Amino acid sequence: MPRNSADSGFIDALSHQFPADMFSRAEQSYLEEPRGRYQGARGFVARPRSTEEVSALVKACGEAGVGIVPYGGGTGLVAGQIAPEGEPDMPLILSLERMNTIRAVYPQENVLIADAGVILANIQKAAEEVDRLFPLSLASEGSARIGGLLGTNAGGVNVLRYGNTRDLCLGLEVVMPDGSVWNGLKRLRKDNTGYDLRNLMIGSEGTLGVITGASLKLFPRPASIGTAVFVIRDAEAALDLLSLAKSQLGESISAFELMHGNGLDFLQQTMPDVRKPFGDCHPEWMILMDIGLPKGLDPQEALENLFMAAEAEGIVSDAVIAQSETQRNDFWAVRELIPIANRQIGAVSSHDVSVPLSEIPQFIARVWQSIAQVGEFRINCFGHVGDGNLHCNVFPPAGKSRDLFLEETKQIKRMVHDIANELGGTFSAEHGVGRAKKADLARYGDPAKLAAMRAIKDALDPKGIMNPGAVLS
């Protein structure tokens, strides 16, 4: 493990090797994570401009036994980007923000190559400029950087159709813990030449190397897009609607998001000006659906036909189909603002779980029943039900602060994660492990997998300098 700190003496010793503006004291923005649950140590941040500078920096840290915390956009929710105060060895924060160039775009190949520090929204824009789509989409796309998104294998709302970030990557450029550079920025769809280092690095959360560049998949843009919000009978009806939608619309379903009435209640309390699909009426369960169709097909007609079929089967009772891009954006604003409203209300315990699709109704029922035995809590269960990923968050009774229920937090978290695990699911669907969920990994992780992970970590990073304290204890 790292034995030295990135203190002023270490920074001074390195200053002659690098540009004068490479190092600075870490500002508060580098020391906070979005939920405010972790506070980073006030050390130094390095902001290199090239892969060569990253390589030299990692090599120097390895020789000195100084830990490195790779930093993207700082949007991670499991503290993988935060080196907490109180640890004996203060690591160096390595920010990729200055490595923000789109290196190349190949429209005919549907490939884009970018620096790791490029913001997701800028990658989406670069794809749009050549009439292509980069489908990764999430609420933090205006600040999240592609290196961090790959490092955590981020999910988002379009996983149902396009897959996780892992599925959108063809190749990587990575600085290894010894400072060497793996030049894996290939544009190939097939490359059967040994171990798949690309997939090993994706989701490793900076514990095995520093991603400095990525070769990404692009897709044709749908000729037309349709968006609707359906009021469904209950949680089980979400699966019925998804099955019916797939039978009618095939692979054109881009997003299929579950929303609960408590989420709309929280929006009304915290952001009353947000326009909601059904006005002041907050149905218990809703589905927000996006479809993208090829030329010649009408999404409005497709969604109307779906509603009529679903209503006839007793699956849905009402729906609103977006009539304009403005209304479509309003629907999605509701979904994207729900996590912010949650944060303002203050959750007793938050969960990012995944269960097999057919187990979703049982998971929800068991969680509601179990939490009711602990107290009169409110639950806001929402998320990417199309791929089995639910954000099931527990809140204090109306008018009370979560600070009154800190003793119940651990019990509630254990209950929710136990239920997900018993149903063949996982405690982390898209947020990763970071530092916040290390104990969960130790509790629920398969022993053989954990042993293999430790062996890989020891082999590639024998000095333990890469994101020390993250993922593995």
Side-chain angles (χ1 to χ4, degrees):
M1 294 296 294
R3 58 186 183 276
N4 294 320
S5 292
D7 54 21
S8 57
F10 174 72
I11 299 302
D12 289 343
L14 289 184
S15 59
H16 68 282
Q17 300 180 37
F18 298 96
D21 63 348
M22 169 83 84
F23 304 101
S24 64
R25 285 280 182 181
E27 299 174 357
Q28 189 63 29
S29 59
Y30 296 100
L31 308 176
E32 297 176 334
E33 49 87 36
R35 292 174 177 169
R37 298 176 181 175
Y38 289 81
Q39 180 67 37
R42 292 188 173 278
F44 288 86
V45 59
R47 291 176 288 185
R49 289 185 170 86
S50 68
T51 301
E52 291 73 23
E53 289 183 354
V54 176
S55 172
L57 185 61
V58 171
K59 183 178 180 181
C61 287
E63 291 173 347
V66 169
I68 297 170
V69 176
Y71 189 94
T75 61
L77 297 177
V78 291
Q81 76 277 28
I82 298 292
E85 287 183 316
E87 295 188 355
D89 304 309
M90 182 172 61
L92 178 68
I93 300 170
L94 197 163
S95 171
L96 279 296
E97 64 194 87
R98 287 176 170 171
M99 294 182 62
N100 54 15
T101 299
I102 303 288
R103 301 188 190 182
V105 183
Y106 302 88
Q108 289 184 319
E109 299 180 20
N110 283 321
V111 175
L112 179 149
I113 299 178
D115 284 347
V118 179
I119 291 173
L120 174 55
N122 293 337
I123 292 176
Q124 296 168 340
K125 181 180 178 181
E128 183 178 1
E129 289 173 351
V130 294
D131 195 30
R132 295 295 185 270
L133 172 71
F134 185 66
L136 180 63
S137 180
L138 29 75
S140 61
E141 60 194 32
S143 55
R145 301 178 187 273
I146 193 62
L149 293 167
L150 286 161
T152 56
N153 187 29
V157 298
N158 290 329
V159 171
L160 177 62
R161 183 170 184 174
Y162 297 103
N164 291 300
T165 310
R166 180 188 306 281
D167 302 300
L168 303 176
C169 179
L170 293 170
L172 293 175
E173 177 185 80
V174 179
V175 174
M176 305 300 283
D178 63 356
S180 62
V181 179
W182 169 46
N183 296 295
L185 276 183
K186 295 187 177 182
R187 313 197 305 269
L188 304 177
R189 308 281 169 157
K190 291 183 176 180
D191 181 7
N192 198 5
T193 55
Y195 300 148
D196 191 346
L197 297 185
R198 171 191 56 132
N199 271 329
L200 180 62
M201 293 296 169
I202 297 173
S204 65
E205 303 186 49
T207 62
L208 300 178
V210 181
I211 295 173
T212 53
S215 176
L216 305 169
K217 295 180 185 178
L218 303 181
F219 295 83
R221 300 186 68 81
S224 56
I225 296 173
T227 304
V229 181
F230 297 87
V231 177
I232 55 176
R233 180 186 67 242
D234 50 28
E236 188 170 0
L239 300 185
D240 296 333
L241 181 60
L242 178 60
S243 178
L244 181 61
K246 284 185 174 180
S247 68
Q248 290 194 1
L249 301 169
E251 298 303 313
S252 66
I253 307 168
S254 301
F256 194 85
E257 297 286 300
L258 181 70
M259 297 188 294
H260 188 265
N262 278 339
L264 272 62
D265 290 344
F266 293 167
L267 274 176
Q268 183 63 34
Q269 293 178 46
T270 60
M271 290 171 266
D273 293 334
V274 173
R275 285 179 287 195
K276 294 173 281 298
F278 302 97
D280 293 334
C281 177
H282 299 169
E284 183 178 14
W285 292 108
M286 293 153 285
I287 290 292
L288 170 61
M289 183 189 302
D290 242 12
I291 61 172
L293 299 178
K295 189 175 181 180
L297 297 179
D298 181 4
Q300 182 88 10
E301 181 181 354
L303 289 169
E304 288 175 356
N305 289 338
L306 176 61
F307 170 74
M308 288 187 291
E311 185 184 36
E313 295 187 21
I315 298 171
V316 305
S317 60
D318 198 359
V320 182
I321 300 174
Q323 302 297 308
S324 65
E325 185 66 18
T326 298
Q327 192 174 21
R328 177 177 184 268
N329 291 336
D330 287 344
F331 289 175
W332 276 105
V334 169
R335 168 62 183 86
E336 292 169 355
L337 290 172
I338 284 175
I340 298 175
N342 284 350
R343 209 169 298 155
Q344 293 184 26
I345 296 294
V348 175
S349 186
S350 301
H351 316 96
D352 163 45
V353 302
S354 183
V355 295
L357 286 183
S358 62
E359 305 291 355
I360 287 175
Q362 184 180 173
F363 170 80
I364 290 175
R366 287 183 59 181
V367 166
W368 251 258
Q369 182 180 24
S370 298
I371 299 303
Q373 295 174 0
V374 180
E376 295 181 359
F377 295 98
R378 294 172 292 173
I379 302 175
N380 185 18
C381 188
F382 66 101
H384 324 301
V385 69
D387 55 56
N389 177 196
L390 296 175
H391 302 297
C392 190
N393 301 338
V394 180
F395 297 83
K400 295 187 178 181
S401 169
R402 69 177 181 183
D403 295 337
L404 300 174
F405 303 94
L406 297 180
E407 293 184 2
E408 286 87 351
T409 296
K410 187 174 181 179
Q411 178 186 4
I412 291 173
K413 192 174 295 292
R414 174 68 62 84
M415 293 171 70
V416 174
H417 289 171
D418 279 353
I419 293 170
N421 186 65
E422 290 165 10
L423 294 175
T426 177
F427 64 89
S428 181
E430 64 178 353
H431 292 165
V433 176
R435 291 170 175 81
K437 296 188 175 182
K438 289 192 299 181
D440 294 306
L441 181 62
R443 175 177 172 81
Y444 301 105
D446 179 82
K449 177 181 178 179
L450 292 175
M453 289 174 62
R454 292 186 185 281
I456 292 168
K457 172 71 170 174
D458 290 342
L460 295 183
D461 184 22
K463 295 184 178 180
I465 67 165
M466 297 308 306
N467 211 358
V471 183
L472 293 169
S473 298

